[in-house]
């Protein structure tokens, strides 16, 4: 709980009228072995609420369940924020595509992260993440 409050205070120090958003993109392509047919895509902007579980789902059922965390950056002085995501990317048939554990996925505000998964034959699933500071 101390980490949560420390991260919240750090976030508030950016600007009293600012908040963090997480841009999420999920692209699901089927038939890549037959000419790369786009099946579904989802782009959403979610308010960043540390320690709060969220679920986003594409129309065809690919699900990203995650919890976001704010971390102080030990390499920076001042109000620097690192974002950490832990969660699951789940196929519509229930198969686990990827599990992100604590420490696996840490990035800075404004930095984009992109992952491609092709372990299901003939399919490609791409996950894109970017956290930004939004001013009111």
């Amino acid at each position: 709980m101390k980490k949560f409050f420390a991260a919240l205070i750090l976030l508030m120090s950016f600007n009293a009228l600012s908040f963090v958003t997480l841009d999420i993109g999920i692209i699901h392509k089927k038939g890549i072995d037959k000419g790369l047919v786009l099946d579904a895509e989802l782009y959403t902007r979610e308010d960043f609420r540390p320690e709060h579980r969220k679920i986003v789902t594409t129309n065809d059922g690919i699900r990203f369940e995650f919890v976001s965390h704010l971390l102080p950056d030990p390499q920076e002085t001042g109000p620097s924020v690192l974002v950490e995501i832990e969660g699951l990317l789940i196929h519509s048939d229930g198969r686990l595509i990827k599990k992100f554990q604590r420490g696996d996925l840490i990035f800075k505000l404004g930095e984009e992260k992109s992952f491609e998964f092709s372990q299901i034959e003939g399919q490609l699933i791409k996950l894109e993440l970017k956290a930004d500071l939004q001013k009111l």
Side-chain angles (χ1 to χ4, degrees):
M1 200 63 159
K2 287 181 185 178
K3 288 182 183 179
F4 170 75
F5 287 117
L8 188 58
I9 290 168
L10 187 60
L11 176 62
M12 291 171 63
S13 70
F14 273 111
N15 185 330
L17 300 175
S18 299
F19 61 98
V20 176
T21 59
L22 184 63
D23 293 328
I24 302 168
I26 302 173
I27 302 163
H28 182 200
K29 297 178 182 181
K30 287 185 180 177
I32 58 175
D33 52 343
K34 300 173 187 163
L36 202 58
V37 177
L38 179 63
D39 187 45
E41 63 182 50
L42 167 75
Y43 292 97
T44 183
R45 175 169 280 178
E46 300 291 325
D47 291 338
F48 192 102
R49 296 178 60 198
E51 313 298 327
H52 184 81
R53 183 172 177 246
K54 288 223 176 205
I55 300 172
V56 294
T57 307
T58 65
N59 287 340
D60 70 341
I62 302 284
R63 223 171 47 244
F64 183 47
E65 302 177 5
F66 66 96
V67 175
S68 49
H69 309 279
L70 291 175
L71 304 173
D73 186 348
Q75 305 299 318
E76 301 282 332
T77 56
S80 175
V81 173
L82 290 174
V83 176
E84 179 179 42
I85 303 292
E86 65 176 311
L88 306 171
L89 186 61
I90 301 169
H91 195 275
S92 56
D93 65 8
R95 284 188 272 183
L96 179 65
I97 298 167
K98 177 67 178 174
K99 180 176 184 176
F100 295 100
Q101 297 179 351
R102 293 291 305 250
D104 288 348
L105 181 53
I106 299 173
F107 54 100
K108 290 185 177 191
L109 289 176
E111 182 181 2
E112 294 181 28
K113 289 289 187 176
S114 180
F115 306 92
E116 290 187 354
F117 307 98
S118 59
Q119 62 263 50
I120 299 172
E121 188 174 330
Q123 296 184 34
L124 176 75
I125 298 166
K126 185 174 184 179
L127 175 66
E128 301 171 339
L129 301 169
K130 181 181 179 185
D132 275 318
L133 186 65
Q134 301 296 315
K135 294 185 180 186
L136 294 176

